[in-house]
């Protein structure tokens, strides 16, 4: 009887349907969950540097600060 209850609760089709009905998480939340649950904290500086470089490229190409940013590289 106890084994039968365990099989009903862990049915893969029901788990899949339940996951499909949940709302989608954003990419920031998924990344945070990945870092937190998988203990991949060494990825944090890499992600921060990539975001900083992207911000420099985005804001530095068409503005008065462009000549100063280009001297950094």
């Amino acid at each position: 009887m106890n084994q039968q209850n365990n099989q009903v609760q862990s049915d893969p089709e029901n788990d899949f349907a339940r996951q499909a009905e949940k709302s989608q998480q954003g990419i920031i939340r998924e990344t945070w969950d990945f870092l937190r649950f998988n203990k991949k904290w060494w990825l944090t500086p890499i992600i921060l540097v990539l975001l900083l470089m992207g911000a420099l490229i985005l804001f530095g190409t068409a503005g008065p600060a462009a000549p100063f940013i280009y001297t950094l590289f």
Side-chain angles (χ1 to χ4, degrees):
M1 174 89 177
N2 197 10
Q3 283 181 332
Q4 221 173 16
N5 288 338
N6 288 340
Q7 288 177 349
V8 172
Q9 291 175 352
S10 65
D11 184 22
E13 290 180 17
N14 288 338
D15 290 340
F16 182 77
R18 200 170 329 134
Q19 290 292 326
E21 291 173 359
K22 287 185 178 180
S23 63
Q24 295 291 320
Q25 293 181 347
I27 191 164
I28 295 171
R29 179 67 183 186
E30 284 189 29
T31 304
W32 174 251
D33 286 343
F34 175 77
L35 291 173
R36 195 174 75 177
F37 291 120
N38 292 320
K39 309 282 191 254
K40 302 288 184 186
W41 296 112
W42 57 271
L43 285 172
T44 305
I46 296 170
I47 293 171
L48 290 176
V49 167
L50 287 173
L51 289 174
L52 180 64
M53 296 295 283
L56 281 174
I57 291 170
L58 182 67
F59 296 119
T61 54
F68 301 108
I69 292 174
Y70 288 127
T71 59
L72 294 176
F73 302 105

